[in-house]
Amino acid sequence: MDESDEEFNVSAVVEIAASAARRTRRARRTRSMQGNTTSAAEDFVGKLVMKYFGGQVYAGVVSRYDPEEGDSKAQWHINYDDGDEEDMYEDELNDSMQLYRELTTGSLALALDLVLVLVHALLLLFPLLEHLYLLNP
């Protein structure tokens, strides 16, 4: 994966995360007002995942939980940033959430480092800029 692919996916993840967080808060508020509590399985709704398809990483959000019924195992429905969607069983979901954590932890740490470097540079430049402004008000 080249650097431009990673940047695209990180921005898509941020957008999906904000949307998922709003939907999750709204759903929990609704369930709370109705007096319903969520199961641990339902708590995965709104979580972010990543999965490799054809050598490229795609970000998605868990949008629904379908509980076990009869012979059918429980599944979680995933909506991806490219419009694709799929259902996952618990082991697939855990792997996809782990991949999300692995890929975004490094990217977010790198972004934070970049912000800190920029802030430090601005703090170093501020006295010079202030001096130049005082010379030419």
Side-chain angles (χ1 to χ4, degrees):
M1 174 173 25
D2 68 1
E3 197 172 305
S4 63
D5 289 340
E6 186 174 328
E7 289 175 18
F8 172 77
N9 286 328
V10 170
S11 64
V13 167
V14 169
E15 194 173 308
I16 290 172
S19 174
R22 285 190 299 273
R23 279 197 311 273
T24 302
R25 282 193 303 271
R26 198 174 315 124
R28 286 187 179 149
R29 245 191 334 264
T30 301
R31 285 192 297 264
S32 175
M33 290 187 306
Q34 294 170 345
N36 298 336
T37 57
T38 62
S39 70
E42 291 172 320
D43 285 341
F44 288 123
V45 174
K47 298 289 183 186
L48 298 174
V49 299
M50 287 185 155
K51 186 173 180 178
Y52 283 104
F53 289 105
Q56 188 171 353
V57 177
Y58 290 89
V61 64
V62 180
S63 60
R64 183 179 73 237
Y65 169 66
D66 297 323
E68 218 173 289
E69 286 187 27
D71 293 338
S72 169
K73 290 172 65 175
Q75 294 183 336
W76 288 264
H77 190 76
I78 313 299
N79 292 92
Y80 290 97
D81 58 352
D82 67 346
D84 199 8
E85 51 189 74
E86 74 170 320
D87 292 322
M88 288 184 175
Y89 295 112
E90 187 173 6
D91 56 340
E92 296 172 293
L93 179 64
N94 287 329
D95 290 346
S96 294
M97 289 191 313
Q98 179 62 32
L99 180 62
Y100 168 78
R101 283 189 295 272
E102 289 171 3
L103 293 179
T104 58
T105 299
S107 298
L108 293 175
L110 180 62
L112 181 59
D113 286 346
L114 180 60
V115 167
L116 291 174
V117 166
L118 290 173
V119 167
H120 185 70
L122 287 173
L123 289 174
L124 291 174
L125 287 174
F126 184 76
L128 175 63
L129 295 173
E130 185 179 34
H131 178 73
L132 290 173
Y133 176 76
L134 291 175
L135 291 177
N136 300 313

Short mmCIF file of all heavy atoms in Angstrom, two decimals, residues 16 22-23 25-27 41 47-48 50 59 84 87 95-96 99-100 106 110 123 133-134:
data_model
loop_
_atom_site.label_atom_id
_atom_site.label_comp_id
_atom_site.label_asym_id
_atom_site.label_seq_id
_atom_site.Cartn_x
_atom_site.Cartn_y
_atom_site.Cartn_z
N ILE A 16 -16.23 8.28 8.60
CA ILE A 16 -17.09 7.18 9.04
C ILE A 16 -17.23 7.18 10.56
O ILE A 16 -18.30 6.95 11.10
CB ILE A 16 -16.54 5.83 8.55
CG1 ILE A 16 -16.71 5.72 7.04
CG2 ILE A 16 -17.23 4.67 9.23
CD1 ILE A 16 -16.03 4.52 6.45
N ARG A 22 -22.34 9.38 15.88
CA ARG A 22 -23.65 10.03 15.97
C ARG A 22 -24.77 9.01 15.97
O ARG A 22 -25.70 9.09 16.78
CB ARG A 22 -23.83 11.02 14.81
CG ARG A 22 -23.05 12.31 14.96
CD ARG A 22 -23.45 13.33 13.92
NE ARG A 22 -23.22 12.88 12.56
CZ ARG A 22 -22.06 13.04 11.91
NH1 ARG A 22 -21.06 13.63 12.48
NH2 ARG A 22 -21.93 12.59 10.66
N ARG A 23 -24.69 8.02 15.05
CA ARG A 23 -25.73 6.98 14.98
C ARG A 23 -25.77 6.15 16.26
O ARG A 23 -26.84 5.83 16.76
CB ARG A 23 -25.48 6.06 13.78
CG ARG A 23 -25.97 6.63 12.47
CD ARG A 23 -26.08 5.55 11.41
NE ARG A 23 -24.92 4.71 11.28
CZ ARG A 23 -23.85 4.96 10.52
NH1 ARG A 23 -23.80 6.06 9.82
NH2 ARG A 23 -22.85 4.12 10.46
N ARG A 25 -24.79 7.05 19.35
CA ARG A 25 -25.34 7.84 20.45
C ARG A 25 -26.86 7.96 20.32
O ARG A 25 -27.59 7.83 21.29
CB ARG A 25 -24.70 9.23 20.48
CG ARG A 25 -23.32 9.26 21.07
CD ARG A 25 -22.86 10.68 21.36
NE ARG A 25 -22.87 11.54 20.19
CZ ARG A 25 -21.85 11.68 19.35
NH1 ARG A 25 -20.74 11.03 19.54
NH2 ARG A 25 -21.94 12.50 18.32
N ARG A 26 -27.32 8.19 19.09
CA ARG A 26 -28.75 8.31 18.84
C ARG A 26 -29.48 7.00 19.18
O ARG A 26 -30.51 7.01 19.86
CB ARG A 26 -28.99 8.69 17.38
CG ARG A 26 -30.35 9.25 17.10
CD ARG A 26 -30.50 9.75 15.65
NE ARG A 26 -29.37 10.53 15.19
CZ ARG A 26 -28.65 10.24 14.10
NH1 ARG A 26 -28.93 9.22 13.34
NH2 ARG A 26 -27.63 11.01 13.75
N ALA A 27 -28.92 5.88 18.74
CA ALA A 27 -29.55 4.57 19.01
C ALA A 27 -29.56 4.26 20.49
O ALA A 27 -30.56 3.78 21.03
CB ALA A 27 -28.81 3.48 18.24
N ALA A 41 -23.10 -7.90 22.49
CA ALA A 41 -23.04 -8.06 21.02
C ALA A 41 -23.54 -6.80 20.32
O ALA A 41 -22.99 -6.38 19.31
CB ALA A 41 -23.85 -9.27 20.59
N LYS A 47 -19.02 0.48 15.79
CA LYS A 47 -17.56 0.31 15.82
C LYS A 47 -17.00 0.34 14.40
O LYS A 47 -17.65 -0.04 13.44
CB LYS A 47 -17.17 -1.02 16.47
CG LYS A 47 -17.59 -1.14 17.91
CD LYS A 47 -16.79 -0.26 18.80
CE LYS A 47 -17.20 -0.47 20.24
NZ LYS A 47 -16.57 0.43 21.15
N LEU A 48 -15.76 0.77 14.28
CA LEU A 48 -15.09 0.85 12.99
C LEU A 48 -14.26 -0.39 12.74
O LEU A 48 -13.69 -0.96 13.66
CB LEU A 48 -14.21 2.09 12.95
CG LEU A 48 -14.96 3.40 13.10
CD1 LEU A 48 -13.99 4.55 13.21
CD2 LEU A 48 -15.92 3.61 11.96
N MET A 50 -11.70 -2.48 9.50
CA MET A 50 -10.98 -2.41 8.24
C MET A 50 -10.78 -3.83 7.74
O MET A 50 -10.62 -4.75 8.54
CB MET A 50 -9.64 -1.70 8.39
CG MET A 50 -9.76 -0.22 8.57
SD MET A 50 -8.14 0.55 8.60
CE MET A 50 -8.58 2.18 8.07
N ALA A 59 -12.29 0.76 4.84
CA ALA A 59 -12.82 1.05 6.17
C ALA A 59 -14.33 0.89 6.15
O ALA A 59 -14.98 1.17 5.14
CB ALA A 59 -12.45 2.47 6.57
N ASP A 84 -19.87 -0.63 -0.47
CA ASP A 84 -20.06 -2.08 -0.36
C ASP A 84 -20.54 -2.42 1.05
O ASP A 84 -20.41 -1.62 1.97
CB ASP A 84 -18.74 -2.79 -0.67
CG ASP A 84 -18.92 -4.25 -1.03
OD1 ASP A 84 -20.08 -4.69 -1.19
OD2 ASP A 84 -17.90 -4.96 -1.15
N ASP A 87 -22.00 -9.14 5.70
CA ASP A 87 -22.27 -9.63 7.04
C ASP A 87 -21.06 -10.42 7.52
O ASP A 87 -20.42 -11.12 6.73
CB ASP A 87 -23.51 -10.54 7.05
CG ASP A 87 -24.78 -9.75 6.76
OD1 ASP A 87 -24.89 -8.62 7.24
OD2 ASP A 87 -25.66 -10.28 6.05
N ASP A 95 -11.31 -9.90 13.90
CA ASP A 95 -10.12 -9.69 13.06
C ASP A 95 -10.16 -8.31 12.39
O ASP A 95 -9.14 -7.61 12.33
CB ASP A 95 -10.04 -10.76 11.97
CG ASP A 95 -9.71 -12.15 12.53
OD1 ASP A 95 -9.28 -12.24 13.70
OD2 ASP A 95 -9.90 -13.13 11.78
N SER A 96 -11.33 -7.90 11.92
CA SER A 96 -11.45 -6.60 11.23
C SER A 96 -11.29 -5.43 12.20
O SER A 96 -10.72 -4.40 11.84
CB SER A 96 -12.81 -6.51 10.53
OG SER A 96 -12.88 -7.46 9.49
N LEU A 99 -7.53 -5.21 12.88
CA LEU A 99 -6.84 -4.57 11.76
C LEU A 99 -7.03 -3.06 11.81
O LEU A 99 -6.09 -2.28 11.60
CB LEU A 99 -7.33 -5.13 10.42
CG LEU A 99 -6.67 -4.53 9.17
CD1 LEU A 99 -5.17 -4.79 9.16
CD2 LEU A 99 -7.33 -5.08 7.91
N TYR A 100 -8.25 -2.60 12.11
CA TYR A 100 -8.52 -1.17 12.24
C TYR A 100 -7.62 -0.56 13.31
O TYR A 100 -7.00 0.48 13.10
CB TYR A 100 -10.00 -0.93 12.57
CG TYR A 100 -10.27 0.48 13.00
CD1 TYR A 100 -10.36 1.50 12.07
CD2 TYR A 100 -10.40 0.81 14.35
CE1 TYR A 100 -10.57 2.81 12.46
CE2 TYR A 100 -10.62 2.11 14.75
CZ TYR A 100 -10.70 3.11 13.80
OH TYR A 100 -10.90 4.40 14.21
N GLY A 106 -0.99 3.61 14.27
CA GLY A 106 0.21 4.19 13.71
C GLY A 106 -0.06 5.48 12.97
O GLY A 106 0.67 6.45 13.10
N LEU A 110 1.26 9.17 14.00
CA LEU A 110 2.02 9.97 13.05
C LEU A 110 1.39 11.35 12.88
O LEU A 110 2.08 12.37 12.87
CB LEU A 110 2.10 9.26 11.71
CG LEU A 110 2.86 9.96 10.60
CD1 LEU A 110 4.32 10.13 11.00
CD2 LEU A 110 2.76 9.16 9.31
N LEU A 123 5.62 28.09 17.65
CA LEU A 123 6.09 28.71 18.88
C LEU A 123 7.48 29.30 18.71
O LEU A 123 7.80 30.35 19.28
CB LEU A 123 6.08 27.70 20.03
CG LEU A 123 4.70 27.29 20.54
CD1 LEU A 123 4.82 26.17 21.56
CD2 LEU A 123 3.95 28.48 21.12
N TYR A 133 6.36 42.38 13.08
CA TYR A 133 5.15 43.19 13.14
C TYR A 133 5.40 44.48 13.88
O TYR A 133 4.93 45.56 13.47
CB TYR A 133 4.01 42.40 13.81
CG TYR A 133 2.77 43.22 13.98
CD1 TYR A 133 1.94 43.48 12.87
CD2 TYR A 133 2.42 43.78 15.21
CE1 TYR A 133 0.80 44.26 13.01
CE2 TYR A 133 1.29 44.55 15.33
CZ TYR A 133 0.47 44.79 14.23
OH TYR A 133 -0.64 45.57 14.38
N LEU A 134 6.18 44.44 14.97
CA LEU A 134 6.47 45.65 15.73
C LEU A 134 7.33 46.63 14.93
O LEU A 134 7.23 47.83 15.10
CB LEU A 134 7.17 45.30 17.06
CG LEU A 134 6.29 44.58 18.08
CD1 LEU A 134 7.12 44.18 19.28
CD2 LEU A 134 5.15 45.47 18.51
#
